[in-house]
Amino acid sequence: MEPITFVVGESKSGAYETVYRQIDALLSGESDAIANLANSASVLKYSLNYVSWVGFYLLRGEELVLGPFQGKPACVRIRLGNGVCGSAATSRRTILVPDVEKFPGHIVCDPDSRSEIVVPIISNDVVRGVLDLDSSSVNAFDSVDQSNLERIAAMISRKVFSAR
Ligand code: SME
């Protein structure tokens, strides 16, 4: 397995501090949702090099629909309750999947994906979508990813969805 490394900072926490500040700066003063989600996905993808795909699925009725992302083309529509994304949206909780082959119902978008973390984005108590990260390594994500991605999702919720 390839060693897990970070583009910025000396540790995963350090990398996330830089990511948080970059996203905060990019979103300040801009209210366009697509632009803000696209820049957020880009910062995450190019700062954490154990991530093979990162993007947003946005709630549209009873479905999640693919939003801004970085990585290979992905499935467009996921029904609530389906896959890791649909389960995170329904349970309103982060789902960390150390090995996608062991998650029943996991939806394969990229056959190289081996682990995944999905964080719901909730604004005014309403689920707006999810933030999804994939890695081609098993066990790529841990509690440091979870706490930092939840903090980033909360910022995105405030800056992108509460402003509407
Ligand atoms: N694996 C996800 C589908 C989305 S892709 O990973 C980009 C899931 O099971 O919901």
PDB file of all heavy atoms in Angstrom, residues 40-62:
ATOM      1  N   SER A  40     -14.147  24.572  -2.791  1.00  0.00           N
ATOM      2  CA  SER A  40     -13.939  23.739  -1.591  1.00  0.00           C
ATOM      3  C   SER A  40     -13.468  22.342  -1.984  1.00  0.00           C
ATOM      4  O   SER A  40     -12.532  21.785  -1.375  1.00  0.00           O
ATOM      5  CB  SER A  40     -15.241  23.628  -0.785  1.00  0.00           C
ATOM      6  OG  SER A  40     -15.676  24.902  -0.379  1.00  0.00           O
ATOM      7  N   ALA A  41     -14.092  21.764  -3.011  1.00  0.00           N
ATOM      8  CA  ALA A  41     -13.687  20.429  -3.469  1.00  0.00           C
ATOM      9  C   ALA A  41     -12.246  20.456  -3.975  1.00  0.00           C
ATOM     10  O   ALA A  41     -11.451  19.550  -3.684  1.00  0.00           O
ATOM     11  CB  ALA A  41     -14.630  19.944  -4.580  1.00  0.00           C
ATOM     12  N   SER A  42     -11.881  21.511  -4.677  1.00  0.00           N
ATOM     13  CA  SER A  42     -10.527  21.606  -5.216  1.00  0.00           C
ATOM     14  C   SER A  42      -9.483  21.698  -4.110  1.00  0.00           C
ATOM     15  O   SER A  42      -8.454  21.017  -4.151  1.00  0.00           O
ATOM     16  CB  SER A  42     -10.430  22.827  -6.140  1.00  0.00           C
ATOM     17  OG  SER A  42      -9.119  22.959  -6.618  1.00  0.00           O
ATOM     18  N   VAL A  43      -9.748  22.530  -3.102  1.00  0.00           N
ATOM     19  CA  VAL A  43      -8.779  22.668  -1.998  1.00  0.00           C
ATOM     20  C   VAL A  43      -8.574  21.313  -1.314  1.00  0.00           C
ATOM     21  O   VAL A  43      -7.440  20.894  -1.051  1.00  0.00           O
ATOM     22  CB  VAL A  43      -9.246  23.724  -0.966  1.00  0.00           C
ATOM     23  CG1 VAL A  43      -8.372  23.694   0.282  1.00  0.00           C
ATOM     24  CG2 VAL A  43      -9.218  25.119  -1.588  1.00  0.00           C
ATOM     25  N   LEU A  44      -9.671  20.603  -1.051  1.00  0.00           N
ATOM     26  CA  LEU A  44      -9.538  19.304  -0.380  1.00  0.00           C
ATOM     27  C   LEU A  44      -8.760  18.316  -1.250  1.00  0.00           C
ATOM     28  O   LEU A  44      -7.847  17.637  -0.770  1.00  0.00           O
ATOM     29  CB  LEU A  44     -10.929  18.743  -0.051  1.00  0.00           C
ATOM     30  CG  LEU A  44     -11.616  19.420   1.140  1.00  0.00           C
ATOM     31  CD1 LEU A  44     -13.113  19.141   1.126  1.00  0.00           C
ATOM     32  CD2 LEU A  44     -10.998  18.954   2.461  1.00  0.00           C
ATOM     33  N   LYS A  45      -9.104  18.253  -2.532  1.00  0.00           N
ATOM     34  CA  LYS A  45      -8.462  17.264  -3.417  1.00  0.00           C
ATOM     35  C   LYS A  45      -6.968  17.504  -3.542  1.00  0.00           C
ATOM     36  O   LYS A  45      -6.166  16.569  -3.520  1.00  0.00           O
ATOM     37  CB  LYS A  45      -9.121  17.325  -4.802  1.00  0.00           C
ATOM     38  CG  LYS A  45      -8.493  16.444  -5.843  1.00  0.00           C
ATOM     39  CD  LYS A  45      -8.825  14.975  -5.620  1.00  0.00           C
ATOM     40  CE  LYS A  45      -8.397  14.093  -6.784  1.00  0.00           C
ATOM     41  NZ  LYS A  45      -6.951  13.991  -6.945  1.00  0.00           N
ATOM     42  N   TYR A  46      -6.575  18.780  -3.663  1.00  0.00           N
ATOM     43  CA  TYR A  46      -5.164  19.062  -3.923  1.00  0.00           C
ATOM     44  C   TYR A  46      -4.347  19.278  -2.655  1.00  0.00           C
ATOM     45  O   TYR A  46      -3.151  19.522  -2.726  1.00  0.00           O
ATOM     46  CB  TYR A  46      -5.040  20.229  -4.910  1.00  0.00           C
ATOM     47  CG  TYR A  46      -5.470  19.770  -6.277  1.00  0.00           C
ATOM     48  CD1 TYR A  46      -6.756  20.001  -6.747  1.00  0.00           C
ATOM     49  CD2 TYR A  46      -4.601  19.007  -7.067  1.00  0.00           C
ATOM     50  CE1 TYR A  46      -7.164  19.511  -7.975  1.00  0.00           C
ATOM     51  CE2 TYR A  46      -5.006  18.511  -8.294  1.00  0.00           C
ATOM     52  CZ  TYR A  46      -6.287  18.765  -8.731  1.00  0.00           C
ATOM     53  OH  TYR A  46      -6.687  18.258  -9.943  1.00  0.00           O
ATOM     54  N   SER A  47      -4.991  19.187  -1.487  1.00  0.00           N
ATOM     55  CA  SER A  47      -4.253  19.320  -0.225  1.00  0.00           C
ATOM     56  C   SER A  47      -4.034  17.976   0.458  1.00  0.00           C
ATOM     57  O   SER A  47      -3.124  17.839   1.271  1.00  0.00           O
ATOM     58  CB  SER A  47      -5.009  20.240   0.736  1.00  0.00           C
ATOM     59  OG  SER A  47      -5.181  21.508   0.153  1.00  0.00           O
ATOM     60  N   LEU A  48      -4.898  17.014   0.180  1.00  0.00           N
ATOM     61  CA  LEU A  48      -4.830  15.709   0.847  1.00  0.00           C
ATOM     62  C   LEU A  48      -4.589  14.675  -0.249  1.00  0.00           C
ATOM     63  O   LEU A  48      -5.518  14.284  -0.950  1.00  0.00           O
ATOM     64  CB  LEU A  48      -6.148  15.416   1.565  1.00  0.00           C
ATOM     65  CG  LEU A  48      -6.626  16.495   2.550  1.00  0.00           C
ATOM     66  CD1 LEU A  48      -8.064  16.216   2.989  1.00  0.00           C
ATOM     67  CD2 LEU A  48      -5.703  16.558   3.773  1.00  0.00           C
ATOM     68  N   ASN A  49      -3.340  14.239  -0.402  1.00  0.00           N
ATOM     69  CA  ASN A  49      -3.087  13.414  -1.597  1.00  0.00           C
ATOM     70  C   ASN A  49      -3.389  11.932  -1.394  1.00  0.00           C
ATOM     71  O   ASN A  49      -3.097  11.129  -2.269  1.00  0.00           O
ATOM     72  CB  ASN A  49      -1.705  13.673  -2.173  1.00  0.00           C
ATOM     73  CG  ASN A  49      -0.615  13.253  -1.247  1.00  0.00           C
ATOM     74  OD1 ASN A  49      -0.881  12.696  -0.187  1.00  0.00           O
ATOM     75  ND2 ASN A  49       0.620  13.524  -1.626  1.00  0.00           N
ATOM     76  N   TYR A  50      -4.032  11.579  -0.275  1.00  0.00           N
ATOM     77  CA  TYR A  50      -4.570  10.215  -0.160  1.00  0.00           C
ATOM     78  C   TYR A  50      -6.020  10.178  -0.631  1.00  0.00           C
ATOM     79  O   TYR A  50      -6.675   9.134  -0.571  1.00  0.00           O
ATOM     80  CB  TYR A  50      -4.463   9.696   1.282  1.00  0.00           C
ATOM     81  CG  TYR A  50      -5.050  10.605   2.339  1.00  0.00           C
ATOM     82  CD1 TYR A  50      -6.313  10.356   2.865  1.00  0.00           C
ATOM     83  CD2 TYR A  50      -4.345  11.702   2.808  1.00  0.00           C
ATOM     84  CE1 TYR A  50      -6.853  11.184   3.836  1.00  0.00           C
ATOM     85  CE2 TYR A  50      -4.878  12.543   3.773  1.00  0.00           C
ATOM     86  CZ  TYR A  50      -6.128  12.279   4.277  1.00  0.00           C
ATOM     87  OH  TYR A  50      -6.674  13.111   5.231  1.00  0.00           O
ATOM     88  N   VAL A  51      -6.520  11.324  -1.087  1.00  0.00           N
ATOM     89  CA  VAL A  51      -7.909  11.406  -1.558  1.00  0.00           C
ATOM     90  C   VAL A  51      -7.941  11.259  -3.073  1.00  0.00           C
ATOM     91  O   VAL A  51      -7.259  11.990  -3.791  1.00  0.00           O
ATOM     92  CB  VAL A  51      -8.527  12.758  -1.124  1.00  0.00           C
ATOM     93  CG1 VAL A  51      -9.882  12.968  -1.769  1.00  0.00           C
ATOM     94  CG2 VAL A  51      -8.648  12.803   0.393  1.00  0.00           C
ATOM     95  N   SER A  52      -8.737  10.305  -3.571  1.00  0.00           N
ATOM     96  CA  SER A  52      -8.830  10.086  -5.021  1.00  0.00           C
ATOM     97  C   SER A  52     -10.034  10.799  -5.624  1.00  0.00           C
ATOM     98  O   SER A  52     -10.061  11.072  -6.825  1.00  0.00           O
ATOM     99  CB  SER A  52      -8.912   8.588  -5.323  1.00  0.00           C
ATOM    100  OG  SER A  52     -10.004   8.008  -4.629  1.00  0.00           O
ATOM    101  N   TRP A  53     -11.043  11.091  -4.816  1.00  0.00           N
ATOM    102  CA  TRP A  53     -12.257  11.754  -5.309  1.00  0.00           C
ATOM    103  C   TRP A  53     -12.853  12.530  -4.150  1.00  0.00           C
ATOM    104  O   TRP A  53     -12.916  12.035  -3.026  1.00  0.00           O
ATOM    105  CB  TRP A  53     -13.262  10.700  -5.794  1.00  0.00           C
ATOM    106  CG  TRP A  53     -14.410  11.245  -6.596  1.00  0.00           C
ATOM    107  CD1 TRP A  53     -14.487  11.301  -7.961  1.00  0.00           C
ATOM    108  CD2 TRP A  53     -15.658  11.794  -6.103  1.00  0.00           C
ATOM    109  NE1 TRP A  53     -15.691  11.873  -8.341  1.00  0.00           N
ATOM    110  CE2 TRP A  53     -16.421  12.181  -7.228  1.00  0.00           C
ATOM    111  CE3 TRP A  53     -16.177  12.000  -4.828  1.00  0.00           C
ATOM    112  CZ2 TRP A  53     -17.692  12.750  -7.111  1.00  0.00           C
ATOM    113  CZ3 TRP A  53     -17.440  12.582  -4.705  1.00  0.00           C
ATOM    114  CH2 TRP A  53     -18.183  12.943  -5.846  1.00  0.00           C
ATOM    115  N   VAL A  54     -13.270  13.748  -4.424  1.00  0.00           N
ATOM    116  CA  VAL A  54     -13.971  14.531  -3.396  1.00  0.00           C
ATOM    117  C   VAL A  54     -15.032  15.374  -4.077  1.00  0.00           C
ATOM    118  O   VAL A  54     -14.810  15.942  -5.140  1.00  0.00           O
ATOM    119  CB  VAL A  54     -12.995  15.410  -2.576  1.00  0.00           C
ATOM    120  CG1 VAL A  54     -12.136  16.288  -3.457  1.00  0.00           C
ATOM    121  CG2 VAL A  54     -13.740  16.286  -1.579  1.00  0.00           C
ATOM    122  N   GLY A  55     -16.206  15.386  -3.472  1.00  0.00           N
ATOM    123  CA  GLY A  55     -17.253  16.208  -4.076  1.00  0.00           C
ATOM    124  C   GLY A  55     -18.495  16.249  -3.212  1.00  0.00           C
ATOM    125  O   GLY A  55     -18.554  15.686  -2.119  1.00  0.00           O
ATOM    126  N   PHE A  56     -19.475  16.945  -3.760  1.00  0.00           N
ATOM    127  CA  PHE A  56     -20.730  17.169  -3.056  1.00  0.00           C
ATOM    128  C   PHE A  56     -21.872  16.482  -3.799  1.00  0.00           C
ATOM    129  O   PHE A  56     -21.911  16.487  -5.035  1.00  0.00           O
ATOM    130  CB  PHE A  56     -21.020  18.677  -2.966  1.00  0.00           C
ATOM    131  CG  PHE A  56     -19.993  19.408  -2.161  1.00  0.00           C
ATOM    132  CD1 PHE A  56     -18.844  19.923  -2.758  1.00  0.00           C
ATOM    133  CD2 PHE A  56     -20.134  19.549  -0.788  1.00  0.00           C
ATOM    134  CE1 PHE A  56     -17.869  20.578  -2.009  1.00  0.00           C
ATOM    135  CE2 PHE A  56     -19.166  20.199  -0.027  1.00  0.00           C
ATOM    136  CZ  PHE A  56     -18.042  20.719  -0.644  1.00  0.00           C
ATOM    137  N   TYR A  57     -22.784  15.896  -3.050  1.00  0.00           N
ATOM    138  CA  TYR A  57     -24.089  15.489  -3.579  1.00  0.00           C
ATOM    139  C   TYR A  57     -25.116  16.363  -2.884  1.00  0.00           C
ATOM    140  O   TYR A  57     -25.087  16.527  -1.657  1.00  0.00           O
ATOM    141  CB  TYR A  57     -24.355  14.009  -3.284  1.00  0.00           C
ATOM    142  CG  TYR A  57     -23.666  13.074  -4.262  1.00  0.00           C
ATOM    143  CD1 TYR A  57     -22.382  12.609  -4.014  1.00  0.00           C
ATOM    144  CD2 TYR A  57     -24.296  12.680  -5.432  1.00  0.00           C
ATOM    145  CE1 TYR A  57     -21.739  11.765  -4.912  1.00  0.00           C
ATOM    146  CE2 TYR A  57     -23.664  11.830  -6.336  1.00  0.00           C
ATOM    147  CZ  TYR A  57     -22.388  11.388  -6.071  1.00  0.00           C
ATOM    148  OH  TYR A  57     -21.762  10.560  -6.963  1.00  0.00           O
ATOM    149  N   LEU A  58     -26.010  16.955  -3.669  1.00  0.00           N
ATOM    150  CA  LEU A  58     -26.979  17.912  -3.132  1.00  0.00           C
ATOM    151  C   LEU A  58     -28.373  17.325  -3.154  1.00  0.00           C
ATOM    152  O   LEU A  58     -28.767  16.641  -4.124  1.00  0.00           O
ATOM    153  CB  LEU A  58     -26.915  19.203  -3.960  1.00  0.00           C
ATOM    154  CG  LEU A  58     -25.512  19.830  -4.021  1.00  0.00           C
ATOM    155  CD1 LEU A  58     -25.491  21.022  -4.967  1.00  0.00           C
ATOM    156  CD2 LEU A  58     -25.043  20.242  -2.620  1.00  0.00           C
ATOM    157  N   LEU A  59     -29.129  17.593  -2.083  1.00  0.00           N
ATOM    158  CA  LEU A  59     -30.473  17.020  -1.981  1.00  0.00           C
ATOM    159  C   LEU A  59     -31.426  17.729  -2.935  1.00  0.00           C
ATOM    160  O   LEU A  59     -31.577  18.956  -2.896  1.00  0.00           O
ATOM    161  CB  LEU A  59     -30.977  17.134  -0.542  1.00  0.00           C
ATOM    162  CG  LEU A  59     -32.253  16.326  -0.261  1.00  0.00           C
ATOM    163  CD1 LEU A  59     -31.979  14.827  -0.401  1.00  0.00           C
ATOM    164  CD2 LEU A  59     -32.786  16.628   1.129  1.00  0.00           C
ATOM    165  N   ARG A  60     -32.033  16.944  -3.802  1.00  0.00           N
ATOM    166  CA  ARG A  60     -33.039  17.433  -4.741  1.00  0.00           C
ATOM    167  C   ARG A  60     -34.241  16.511  -4.611  1.00  0.00           C
ATOM    168  O   ARG A  60     -34.241  15.412  -5.160  1.00  0.00           O
ATOM    169  CB  ARG A  60     -32.514  17.389  -6.188  1.00  0.00           C
ATOM    170  CG  ARG A  60     -31.222  18.192  -6.403  1.00  0.00           C
ATOM    171  CD  ARG A  60     -31.523  19.677  -6.566  1.00  0.00           C
ATOM    172  NE  ARG A  60     -30.333  20.462  -6.851  1.00  0.00           N
ATOM    173  CZ  ARG A  60     -29.740  21.278  -5.970  1.00  0.00           C
ATOM    174  NH1 ARG A  60     -30.197  21.387  -4.742  1.00  0.00           N
ATOM    175  NH2 ARG A  60     -28.684  21.974  -6.321  1.00  0.00           N
ATOM    176  N   GLY A  61     -35.250  16.914  -3.841  1.00  0.00           N
ATOM    177  CA  GLY A  61     -36.398  16.042  -3.582  1.00  0.00           C
ATOM    178  C   GLY A  61     -35.972  14.845  -2.762  1.00  0.00           C
ATOM    179  O   GLY A  61     -35.393  15.000  -1.684  1.00  0.00           O
ATOM    180  N   GLU A  62     -36.250  13.645  -3.276  1.00  0.00           N
ATOM    181  CA  GLU A  62     -35.915  12.409  -2.557  1.00  0.00           C
ATOM    182  C   GLU A  62     -34.581  11.832  -2.991  1.00  0.00           C
ATOM    183  O   GLU A  62     -34.260  10.690  -2.671  1.00  0.00           O
ATOM    184  CB  GLU A  62     -37.013  11.356  -2.804  1.00  0.00           C
ATOM    185  CG  GLU A  62     -38.359  11.716  -2.221  1.00  0.00           C
ATOM    186  CD  GLU A  62     -38.309  11.786  -0.695  1.00  0.00           C
ATOM    187  OE1 GLU A  62     -37.960  10.771  -0.077  1.00  0.00           O
ATOM    188  OE2 GLU A  62     -38.583  12.869  -0.146  1.00  0.00           O
TER     189      GLU A  62
END
